[in-house]
Amino acid sequence: MRLASRVLCGAAGAGWRESFSRGGRDVARWFPGHMAKGLKKMQSSLKLVDCIIEVHDARIPLSGRNPLFQETLGLKPHMLVLNKMDLADLKEQQVKKIIQHLEGEGLKNVVFTNCVRDENIKQIIPIVRGLVESSYRYHRGESLEYCAMVIGIPNVGKSSLINALRRQHLRKGKATRVGGEPGITRAVMSRIQVCERPLMFLLDTPGVLAPRIESVEMGLKLALCGTVLDHLVGEETLADYLLYTLNRHQLFGYVQHYGLAAACDDVASVLKQVAVRLGKTQKVKVLTGTGDVNVIQPNYPAAARDFLRTFRSGLLGPVMLDRDVLQRPPLADP
């Protein structure tokens, strides 16, 4: 789909878009409700665990967390791990606001991590142990081991967390497959040991999205973070939302990265320049009055994919996609 062109290129002080055109997009089409089976399986495994570890993306700390987790798994002690902290803009004031909002939701145990580099991983086992020892364990009261279930929406780093804990406490390698796109973990797995003292096991689970996403904008944030496959939303649509977000946040790293003349709010213009810079062009036959003519055109989808991949790898700088949500007052602590 070719996006409509807007002439909004120039200096950083240009009039950036105040809102993103939703264009009648259907969020339900992006997030089909086929994940109930995984949630039911998690619920049936609750009797095997002492604690819930929810993993979420630190770039969207308040958006897209599945409310059904709390409703169906809320009997167990719960902690939140905000992963990919290296990709998130976590200034001190931002972190304070995030903690205030989460405390307003009743979440007292929050850890920011980067599972790839094992940052803050050491905090997790002591928190889980404290939660379990201060809670009623029901029929698991006689057990000398601890078991936690790792949950979250797709592609937030659940398997990476398990592997990081194994590296940290057992000096062992990967136990679960890790991927850069949603859907790698397909089923609730057997228990995986992550620590010897205390003896602790984790259950890896498939990513489960909420059956209903609040808004198209929230859906776009989730898609930018890779929780669904890009083609379900549209790569050029996602690239346009990314460009809109970077300009609104005054984050112009893409200009330097791609060697553009200036910041720009027109995605067609940006993708054209990106395609030319990267040599992502294609020959297209055009019928003219004198016959067929081969014309070199930019490969817009390929440029959009590179733009998204560059953002997700952190090369355009850290970003807080929930900046708008953090500006609202937090809920009162329940």
Side-chain angles (χ1 to χ4, degrees):
M1 178 186 71
R2 185 82 312 105
L3 297 166
S5 179
R6 293 174 302 276
V7 184
L8 281 172
C9 298
W16 308 120
R17 285 172 281 176
E18 292 296 321
S19 62
F20 186 76
S21 174
R22 288 153 179 78
R25 296 180 177 94
D26 181 9
V27 184
R29 184 176 63 83
W30 306 345
F31 304 95
H34 65 278
M35 298 184 177
K37 186 178 178 182
L39 193 61
K40 282 182 181 177
K41 207 163 184 180
M42 291 180 214
Q43 202 170 5
S44 67
S45 301
L46 266 185
K47 61 182 179 292
L48 305 173
V49 305
D50 305 299
C51 176
I52 300 293
I53 302 174
E54 181 183 353
V55 185
H56 199 63
D57 195 308
R59 293 169 292 184
I60 46 170
L62 307 178
S63 290
R65 289 176 51 229
N66 192 335
L68 293 181
F69 288 150
Q70 193 62 32
E71 292 172 24
T72 60
L73 309 176
L75 292 172
K76 300 290 181 177
H78 189 129
M79 73 171 293
L80 178 64
V81 174
L82 290 171
N83 190 31
K84 305 186 183 183
M85 60 181 283
D86 55 314
L87 303 178
D89 181 8
L90 293 173
K91 297 183 179 73
E92 185 178 354
Q93 199 57 36
Q94 300 264 57
V95 172
K96 285 181 180 177
K97 287 182 179 180
I98 291 167
I99 298 298
Q100 286 172 356
H101 278 266
L102 293 172
E103 286 181 346
E105 296 176 21
L107 265 172
K108 307 290 186 186
N109 297 283
V110 181
V111 177
F112 292 86
T113 66
N114 172 4
C115 291
V116 175
R117 298 178 184 170
D118 293 354
E119 290 181 67
N120 297 341
I121 293 297
K122 285 184 178 179
Q123 298 179 31
I124 293 171
I125 297 293
I127 291 175
V128 171
R129 185 176 188 172
L131 283 172
V132 175
E133 291 180 352
S134 62
S135 305
Y136 183 60
R137 296 184 73 190
Y138 301 96
H139 61 285
R140 287 184 55 79
E142 301 300 316
S143 178
L144 299 177
E145 65 185 39
Y146 301 93
C147 186
M149 183 184 290
V150 181
I151 65 172
I153 63 175
N155 202 29
V156 290
K158 298 179 292 295
S159 298
S160 295
L161 173 67
I162 292 174
N163 291 333
L165 286 168
R166 282 172 61 81
R167 283 195 303 271
Q168 187 73 233
H169 298 283
L170 297 178
R171 299 291 185 262
K172 290 188 177 179
K174 293 180 181 179
T176 62
R177 188 180 166 204
V178 175
E181 58 183 43
I184 293 297
T185 305
R186 297 270 179 191
V188 178
M189 297 175 60
S190 57
R191 303 189 316 164
I192 301 166
Q193 185 178 353
V194 294
C195 191
E196 190 68 51
R197 295 181 181 178
L199 183 57
M200 187 174 295
F201 297 86
L202 298 185
L203 285 179
D204 196 11
T205 64
V208 178
L209 287 159
R212 181 180 176 277
I213 304 301
E214 282 183 21
S215 66
V216 171
E217 183 132 12
M218 181 183 285
L220 287 165
K221 287 181 185 180
L222 287 166
L224 261 192
C225 292
T227 62
V228 291
L229 296 171
D230 290 345
H231 72 267
L232 294 177
V233 181
E235 289 150 338
E236 291 174 65
T237 296
L238 265 183
D240 192 23
Y241 183 71
L242 172 58
L243 182 66
Y244 158 77
T245 301
L246 294 175
N247 287 336
R248 285 272 289 163
H249 292 192
Q250 301 285 297
L251 299 172
F252 303 116
Y254 69 92
V255 176
Q256 183 176 3
H257 181 82
Y258 287 111
L260 308 184
C264 182
D265 217 13
D266 175 32
V267 72
S269 176
V270 169
L271 293 183
K272 181 178 180 179
Q273 293 179 73
V274 169
V276 171
R277 286 275 177 183
L278 299 177
K280 295 182 182 295
T281 55
Q282 52 194 357
K283 282 185 180 180
V284 179
K285 280 189 178 181
V286 177
L287 182 61
T288 68
T290 57
D292 290 349
V293 176
N294 286 326
V295 177
I296 303 295
Q297 286 190 350
N299 188 333
Y300 289 94
R305 284 192 291 273
D306 191 89
F307 191 29
L308 292 169
R309 187 166 51 245
T310 301
F311 163 72
R312 288 168 180 160
S313 64
L315 294 175
L316 302 183
V319 66
M320 175 51 63
L321 295 174
D322 269 350
R323 196 173 70 167
D324 55 335
V325 186
L326 289 171
Q327 289 171 350
R328 303 171 195 163
L331 298 170
D333 195 343

